[in-house]
Each structure stands twice: as structure tokens, then as C-alpha cells.
Amino acid sequence: MPSSSLAFASISCNRSSQSVDWAFCQLSATQQPTPLLAYTGGPFTVLVRPITSQNEPTLKVINLLKTEAQTTALRFIHRNGLDNPATHLLTASGRDLYLYDLSSPIINARVLKGHEASITCVAVPKGLGNTGAVASLVASAGSDGTVRIWDFSRPAGEESVQVINVGPKMVMSLALGTVAETPVLFTGGVDKKISMYVGDNKGSFEKRLELQGHTDWIRSLELATCTVDQHGWKRGDVMLCSASQDRYVRIWKISVLEEKVEKGTNEGAATSLQQQMMNALSEGSGKLSTKAHILSISDRKTVLMFDALLMGHDDWVLSVAWESPRLNTVTNQWEQPMRLVTASSDKSIMVWKPSGMGVWINTTRLGEIGGSTLGFHNALFAPDGQGLIACAYHGAIQYWTSAKDGEDEWTPRPALSGHSAEVRDLKWDPLGRWFMTTSKDQTTRLWASSTAYDWHELARPQIHGYDLNCLEPLQDGLTFVSGADEKVVRVFTAPQIFLSTVRNVLGIAVSDAGKLPLGASVPALGLSNKAVYENDTTLELTTEFRNMSAYAAAPAQLTGLDKPPLEQQLLQGTLWPEVEKLYGHQYEIYSVGAGHGVVASASKATTAKAAQIRLWDSKTWRPTGLLEAHNLTVTHLAFSPHTDPEQQYLLSVSRDRSWALSARAGGEWRILKKQEKAHARIIWSAKWLTERLFVTGSRDKTIKVWDVEGRMIGSVNGDEGVNTLDVYHQQKNGRYILATGSETGHVAFYSLVCPPSNDLEAKASFVFLYSVPDEHIHVGGVAKVQFGPTQDGQLVLSTCGVDGSVPEKYDNIAVLTAEPHGAMNVNPTRRSQGCWGPKSGQSTLCPRMIHKVGGAIHSLSAIVSDDMLTSWWTDGKPNGLGKLATDTDGGAEKGIQYNGQREQTLRAELVRTLTYEAIPSSQDVLRKSAGNGELSFAEHMWRVRPSLWL
């Protein structure tokens, strides 16, 4: 049977104060507990394992746990206490909680439902002594104004224990633990107060007091249990720290006294001078306060008092975390290190230690200097105290290590990076040495691996001011062109430092043709990468970082790097100089292509003139041709594999459902052949098979094989609209492996056999082979798929998608064989349920249409009204203008049955509802998406108003 495994995945970390956690986990009974890191990346929970490569500690993604919405928070759960390995992982995704059992051979999720809006934060028991009933409790807060208590030891569907209504002021941080063997819950949020709830043995919590002092939103709360009598603390004291947007961190001490509380006593005065001094800072009124909060917990007198104020950050403090407790091998006792780490928007990470008398000092300050950075939103220690990670605003996870626990010397290490927005294009170097990706996060990134180092980001050639849409490397792989949401095509070439890094890190000898610049820099407020030569700078970013303006960048030292670059180096030292700008397009650049000695480009268009294809000489960069072959946006450009530049074809496909072939004749480019209505929907992708055969993929769910004469010699009907495709030439006898990426994130493989070129009657045949498992597919559409060079007899396929991830899959060529599955026709019965697949009796996936609106993942629901059908459709053609909205804030709704007679591509019965309002404008927008949704509505609307979705 065909199989695949995830070899590499890149996805940025979400912006949340609870986006990452780290713990010792025992994934099987036969394995020793090992550190496992998890972080929220788009709609995934990403599992990461620390590894060592060439004596260099780093991090490696080992698995992706897919959810249905953006993940906002996660925490490991130590059900047997913090002195034992983590047993579960809790992730918040949209309105649901996903509970993963880490001890299970197959990590399956248990979904806890109840919130009516997105979950903002979660809490699991922290501190020592959390055993018994509290060990199975978790808490979650949502933007629906509630805090929910869950007990996952209960049967499925009965986990909800209590709903605490907190009102309109959203809770942004939670902390859960035990005081006097009683569960306690702390909440903090936009009301600038910390609320304390005390629970009972049934998991029901009651609000007991409020702590004031912060003057802005409270973003993080963490608990720890003191294990040593020191610095005025006693063994068993519970320490609560809170981080706020007021730039301060406050520490609170909770002490349980031996005597029982007297009846009628609520609060008392602090007795010691030190307590009075510290409590003076605990009130936000500006007046001195000598009060310590006294309350009864399990009939024990408990004193809660302000202990310390941490000042040092210059901007919002977004997270605070205690170091994890560890076993003292001498005393065989678990100890809680009194060390904190804080993350702030001021671009710094601070490590704090107490020095006595309630005074904490900052022992280490780490972070970023220069670049277009906006600080960190999360930081925490490794379970053994010898590592530290931080999540930057743009999604990179930075990693430091120390040689010994408790030391304050931290060494930066190569870590994890990824795009923080839709990845729009992916292209392999023609020589197979690396691949590049470009994204709406306005960066172009270069990825590579070697025998010494695993996959990593080797360079960030372009950091731009516009969202990037496309790229294309030239034949040598050291020059590429890119297009963005601007009217200019930009050309970049590799500098000397990149060639040196390739030699040092990848062990690949790269020839230096001519005098290349040392590197590149971007002036403040500039968009062009300016070449920097050896005499222009003496900057060495491998040892020190220069404090530059927000958007400045400069190259590393002349010798390049000898290991994968750090995030700081990627931000400032790996740019490629821009050598040309190509002008002429009227609108934003949408697609580019490169052949032998020629580059083609096209822009977004709604008219034939705007859809013109411009051709450029790749040596002189002078314009060599202008082709007016289409009426709407050209979505893909591909040159034929001819070795003679004079014989090569240019294949272009478009939103107007046509493809066109152009060639050079008499020194000029001319259109040779155009196939109108080659598909019933937008043609998204095309690929050359031979010098005379090519394949196209469309949103009409079909893949077709054509020859240069315009004959269609084969086709197959797929399950879903085809966003992208690529072909691997398995043999020279007309056999190919075809990979497709769909609009719902699925990646499928076909065997394609083409007839000999002299057989005009034979047809190409397709056999469905394999679909990548659900856990490794993209959430949302696949933007690009492309085969890379084989490695160890395995086929490499790289994919990128609108979820911001760049996974790479390895498929064993030897097992890519399967019995024919027959024609891949839509099963009407399953189609009406949103499950699109082969005919009955064949294996299929049942996806759900996910669409990205405004950077967030939403499910589409479709509503169809009589008015819309009457206004938009006359004799099978759209003729109206309107505004679509799936929220029902006004107007009457009508649900009707639409049997697809007005649109032949819809052959199943669909029942939808839609709020429709006719307006005299062409700005048709989707205001809000909700519900469970089906794919067919999006397909129907592509026909009605394609520009709505582009």
C-alpha cells in the first residue's frame, strides 16, 4: 500500500501568551520520559523534540495535530503531579478544547464543547501537591464572558463541572492550583483585577476576593509552590505571579497558617514592617495600604499578600513563567527553583532571581535588536532548566541553552521559523539543492537540509513591504524573480555570504560567477534590497548585533555562516541584493515563470489589456514580448522543457477558463493556439509532461491532458477543485506520478500513463494511488505542490497552503502502485452531506470546506434565497449585483431547494439559506462566515462572482 510520512514542517507560532509549553513526557511504557515541546501554529498543535545536530542543540517538528480552527492556547497536564511526566495535552481551538492522551499509541483528541465564542486562555493544575480530584480539573475562559471548569475524569460529554459568568470584561489569563489541599482558581483580564475563586471537593468554585494593583490588562498568571524556607518564604507557600500591559510583574504570596480562622474574620492587617512596605504597592489607588488578605480555606487561616514588584520592561509584559520543579538527586526531594522568565513587547526576554528581602534582580536580558520586530509574546524554561524558548511576534521560536542549570550565561541556538501568513508559492531550485517559499507575511524564505543538519531556514532573501504572491528561480538557482501586491517584478541574485554559507553548512560547492556583492541592506522606509560590497561595511552579525532602525538590515561577515542561521541573523543578515525592477503591469503581480533566457509575468486583471503577459530577456532584462491571450487574471505560466530556447513554448492558463500556447517566431513572441472553455471553471495550474504534452487542473474538479495541437487526450474527475499540481517523471516510457493539491487541503497522487506521440487515437489513463492522511493535510487550500529530488530512493513532495505551513512529505516510490479505483466521479448521496469522493464502495475522505477570511480560518455556510436566484441568474447567466452576508441581522430568510438545473457543475441537491440585499455596486463581500458549511456554496459562488474570492 502507498504510504507517506512527514519529514519536515514549518509553521509559525500563534500570537498568544499561552502559545507554547514544554514538559517531560512518556509517550510509551517502554520509553524513558523525554522533553517534548508543543506550540500553537495556525490551526495545528505542533509537537517538537529537542535534538542535537553536529553538537548543536536545536529543535525538530515531529508531528502536527490538526484542529478545525485557530489554536489559541495549550498546556501539558501532569495528572500524577508535577513530579511525574505529563500525561495529557490540552489545546484550545476556536470554541472547543482538545484533550490528547499522550500515553496512547495513537494520539487521539477528546473534544470538550461548551463555549459559545473563542477560548482566550486555559489553566491546568500548577505547583506541587496537585493530586487527587484537582489533578483532573482544567479551566478555560472564553470571549463569551464565561469561565468553565472541566473534569476530564468524567465520561465523555459530561466533563463540564461549572460555568462561571464573569460578565462583559473578558478574562485573558487563568491559574489553577491548590492551597490547603483545596483547589483555587485565579483569573485576570481587562478589568485589571485578579479574582480568586476557592473550590470544594466537587470542583465547584466560589469567588472569595479581588486583588488590585495592576493598571492595565492582565495577560498572564502562573503558580508555583515554595519548597525551601528562604527570602522570607516558608515551605508550602504558594507563589502567584501576574504580568500586565502596565509593564510590571507582581508577585503574591499565599501562606497557610496553623491556627484556624476565627468566625467573622475576613481581613486583617499585616503585622510585620516588611509586609506593610510591600502591601503599600498592592493597591492601585496610590494610597499606602497595610492590609493583608485573610480568608478561610478548608477552615485554615490563609494569608494572601503582595510580595514583590518586578520593574524593568519598557513595554507590555505579555507572559511570565516559573522554572519547572525538579528532583534533587542528593536529598531525593522535589524542589521548586525560584526563578522567573518574562516576555515583553519591548523585544526583550528577562530572567529574574530573588536576592533577599523581597527584592528580585534581572540576571539576564535576551531578545532582538533591529529588524521589523515587535517583541515576544511568550517565554518559558526547559523542564531541566538548561534551555529557554521564546515566541516572537512574527512567529519564530527562538532557543537558548545554558551549560548548567541555574547559570545565567545563555547561548543562542538555531530553532524554528515559519511564515506567519498564507504561503502563496513554493519553488525548488532547478538543481534540487533547496526550495524557496513566498508569503503574504511579506517575506521570501529559503529552506535546505544536509547530512549534517536537518531541514532549516537557510536564508531570508526578501523582506518586503507588500504581500508577496509568486516567485520563480532561474536556471542557475542563484537568481529569482518575485511578484507582490505592487506593479513591479523584482529580480534578486545571491550574494557572497550566501554562497559561503552554502559551502559551509550544506557542503555544496557553488561557483562564484563574477564579482558579487557581499550582501544586501534595506534602508529605513525603503523597499529595495540595496547591494552592499566588502568595503561598505565591517559588520559581523555572527557575534554581535547592531542596534539599527526598525526596518534596517545588513549582511553578515564575509565568510558567511558555519551553521544554520539564528532568527536575528535571518532578520538582518541574509538578504539578497535586488538587481532589477521590471515595470509595465497595470495591477498587482500574480504569476511569474522562467524558461531558457526568458522570464514571463502577469498581473491581476479583469480586462484583456490588464491580462497581458510581459516577457523579458533574463540576461539584459529588456522587454522582448507582449501577449494578449486572456481576458482575466493569468493564474499560471509554464515554459516547455525544450533545450533549444528558440523552440520552447509558453503555456498560460487563466481565470477565464482558457489556456494558450505561445512561441517565438521570427524573433517575436506570438500566440500559436488558444483553447477557449478548456475547463468549466477557473484553471489554476498547468504542468508540462513532455515537449508536446501538458496537463491542466481546474476548480471544476477535473485534470486534463492536452497536446500542443489542442487535442484533449485524457481526463479524470477528482473529488475536489484542483488548486495546484505537479508531475514526477517516473520512467521514460510515458509513465508519471501526478500530485494534486485541493482547495480543502488534501494532497492526492495519481499514476498517469500517456500514449506515444505518434499514436493519435490512444488516450492517457489515470489511476488514483493515494491520498495523504488527514492529520498531515493543510487546513484550507493547498497553494502549491512541487516534487523535489529523490532522497534515499524516496520521492520528496513539498507543499504550502493558506494555513501558513510548509510541510514536506516523503512517499516511497516502490510502493506507489495500486489497483485501479475507477472513475473518480462525485457520489451525489455523499456530496449532499459535504463528503466528496469516489463512487460507493471506494475509500474517500470527508473534508469540510474551510475558507480564510481576513487572516482567520472560518467555516463556510451557504444560504440561497429566491431573490438571489431570480436576480443573479437569467437563462443560466449571472446578471445581478448583490451583497452576501451569512449573519442574519436583518431581513427575512428563505430556505429553498436548488437542484442544480441553472448550473451544470452542481449535480446534487443542496439546501441553503442566505440573507441577500440588492445593492448597486460590484463590491460583493462575504461579511461573516459561520456554521458547519459545505464546499458546494463556494463552488457556486465562484461561477457567480469570481472576484469575490480572489
Side-chain angles (χ1 to χ4, degrees), residues 705-763:
V705 179
W706 309 83
D707 64 13
V708 294
E709 304 299 330
R711 290 191 313 121
M712 186 184 72
I713 64 172
S715 67
V716 63
N717 295 327
D719 301 338
E720 303 156 342
V722 178
N723 277 2
T724 177
L725 56 82
D726 196 28
V727 174
Y728 174 75
H729 296 248
Q730 188 175 18
Q731 297 175 3
K732 295 183 179 180
N733 58 356
R735 302 181 65 88
Y736 307 91
I737 300 295
L738 176 70
T740 65
S742 77
E743 57 193 4
T744 57
H746 289 88
V747 177
F749 294 88
Y750 295 84
S751 173
L752 170 60
V753 180
C754 293
S757 58
N758 57 359
D759 190 346
L760 300 181
E761 300 299 328
K763 297 292 185 180

Side-chain angles (χ1 to χ4, degrees), residues 39-269:
Y39 72 90
T40 62
F44 297 97
T45 298
V46 186
L47 301 183
V48 180
R49 179 165 290 162
I51 63 172
T52 300
S53 181
Q54 292 292 96
N55 297 321
E56 181 76 23
T58 186
L59 304 172
K60 176 180 173 60
V61 174
I62 61 172
N63 203 357
L64 300 175
L65 306 177
K66 186 166 65 75
T67 64
E68 293 294 332
Q70 191 89 346
T71 50
T72 54
L74 59 78
R75 283 293 181 262
F76 283 106
I77 300 175
H78 299 257
R79 189 170 184 180
N80 301 319
L82 284 178
D83 49 353
N84 286 280
T87 57
H88 296 78
L89 175 62
L90 182 71
T91 298
S93 173
R95 297 178 293 180
D96 302 329
L97 291 173
Y98 288 73
L99 183 68
Y100 300 96
D101 186 352
L102 299 177
S103 62
S104 174
I106 301 177
I107 301 180
N108 291 321
R110 181 177 173 185
V111 183
L112 310 181
K113 294 181 176 291
H115 282 285
E116 297 178 357
S118 296
I119 297 173
T120 58
C121 55
V122 298
V124 301
K126 288 292 185 73
L128 297 172
N130 292 313
T131 57
V134 71
S136 60
L137 293 181
V138 297
S140 61
S143 52
D144 56 1
T146 66
V147 174
R148 290 180 175 265
I149 310 298
W150 312 82
D151 186 348
F152 63 87
S153 66
R154 293 188 174 191
E158 302 177 10
E159 300 92 348
S160 181
V161 176
Q162 185 183 6
V163 179
I164 303 173
N165 291 310
V166 295
K169 295 188 177 181
M170 186 168 58
V171 172
M172 305 184 72
S173 54
L174 294 170
L176 181 64
T178 56
V179 174
E181 300 180 354
T182 302
V184 293
L185 174 69
F186 294 90
T187 68
V190 300
D191 63 355
K192 311 171 191 176
K193 302 175 183 177
I194 301 174
S195 299
M196 180 181 181
Y197 296 80
V198 179
D200 54 25
N201 55 7
K202 296 181 180 179
S204 180
F205 289 81
E206 177 186 2
K207 186 174 181 179
R208 299 293 293 274
L209 59 86
E210 289 183 345
L211 304 176
Q212 298 184 1
H214 284 295
T215 58
D216 207 334
W217 295 1
I218 300 171
R219 300 299 296 268
S220 182
L221 295 171
E222 287 291 332
L223 286 172
T225 304
C226 186
T227 56
V228 180
D229 294 344
Q230 59 178 341
H231 305 305
W233 310 317
K234 293 184 178 180
R235 181 181 177 87
D237 286 351
V238 176
M239 311 298 295
L240 170 70
C241 55
S242 57
S244 170
Q245 292 179 183
D246 62 8
R247 301 178 297 170
Y248 303 130
V249 174
R250 290 174 176 262
I251 301 177
W252 315 79
K253 182 176 72 173
I254 307 169
S255 302
V256 179
L257 307 182
E258 293 298 328
E259 69 267 24
K260 293 188 176 182
V261 67
E262 298 180 4
K263 292 184 177 181
T265 301
N266 293 322
E267 286 188 329

Side-chain angles (χ1 to χ4, degrees), residues 638-896:
F639 285 89
S640 64
H642 285 84
T643 56
D644 184 355
E646 296 299 322
Q647 296 181 359
Q648 63 184 342
Y649 295 106
L650 170 61
L651 171 64
S652 58
V653 296
S654 169
R655 280 181 48 209
D656 63 10
R657 301 176 293 166
S658 69
W659 59 257
L661 278 180
S662 304
R664 188 176 299 172
E668 295 185 1
W669 284 90
R670 301 177 185 274
I671 300 171
L672 300 182
K673 184 73 176 179
K674 182 177 180 180
Q675 186 72 33
E676 298 283 0
K677 298 182 180 179
H679 286 267
R681 308 295 297 278
I682 298 173
I683 306 176
W684 284 121
S685 186
K687 181 70 176 181
W688 285 93
L689 301 173
T690 67
E691 295 177 353
R692 298 189 60 81
L693 297 179
F694 58 91
V695 60
T696 58
S698 167
R699 203 166 192 275
D700 64 5
K701 306 181 188 64
T702 63
I703 303 167
K704 298 181 179 182
V705 179
W706 309 83
D707 64 13
V708 294
E709 304 299 330
R711 290 191 313 121
M712 186 184 72
I713 64 172
S715 67
V716 63
N717 295 327
D719 301 338
E720 303 156 342
V722 178
N723 277 2
T724 177
L725 56 82
D726 196 28
V727 174
Y728 174 75
H729 296 248
Q730 188 175 18
Q731 297 175 3
K732 295 183 179 180
N733 58 356
R735 302 181 65 88
Y736 307 91
I737 300 295
L738 176 70
T740 65
S742 77
E743 57 193 4
T744 57
H746 289 88
V747 177
F749 294 88
Y750 295 84
S751 173
L752 170 60
V753 180
C754 293
S757 58
N758 57 359
D759 190 346
L760 300 181
E761 300 299 328
K763 297 292 185 180
S765 61
F766 291 82
V767 175
F768 175 78
L769 296 178
Y770 175 69
S771 184
V772 173
D774 272 8
E775 59 267 23
H776 289 161
I777 68 172
H778 291 276
V779 176
V782 181
K784 282 291 184 295
V785 298
Q786 189 174 26
F787 286 105
T790 57
Q791 296 184 2
D792 300 326
Q794 291 182 322
L795 192 61
V796 179
L797 179 72
S798 297
T799 71
C800 64
V802 299
D803 52 16
S805 64
V806 185
E808 182 171 90
K809 298 156 179 87
Y810 281 59
D811 284 44
N812 195 312
I813 297 175
V815 297
L816 280 180
T817 58
E819 293 298 323
H821 282 187
M824 300 293 288
N825 294 325
V826 174
N827 179 352
T829 303
R830 299 182 67 82
R831 184 174 186 175
S832 63
Q833 301 170 357
C835 300
W836 299 49
K839 293 181 178 179
S840 177
Q842 299 167 7
S843 61
T844 183
L845 301 171
C846 297
R848 186 159 67 93
M849 174 58 187
I850 306 293
H851 184 64
K852 186 160 185 171
V853 180
I857 301 293
H858 298 281
S859 301
L860 276 183
S861 64
I863 303 183
V864 180
S865 71
D866 289 301
D867 292 339
M868 191 198 81
L869 291 176
T870 303
S871 175
W872 285 63
W873 293 93
T874 302
D875 297 328
K877 296 180 179 180
N879 68 349
L881 301 174
K883 180 178 181 180
L884 302 177
T886 56
D887 51 341
T888 56
D889 51 1
E893 292 187 10
K894 286 187 179 182
I896 69 164

Side-chain angles (χ1 to χ4, degrees), residues 476 478-479 493-499 503 510-519 531-534 558 577 579:
D476 62 356
L478 301 178
T479 303
T493 189
Q496 292 184 42
I497 58 169
F498 175 75
L499 303 184
R503 287 190 288 265
V510 182
S511 61
D512 185 350
K515 182 175 175 55
L516 294 175
L518 170 66
V532 175
Y533 292 88
E534 185 174 353
L558 176 62
V579 295

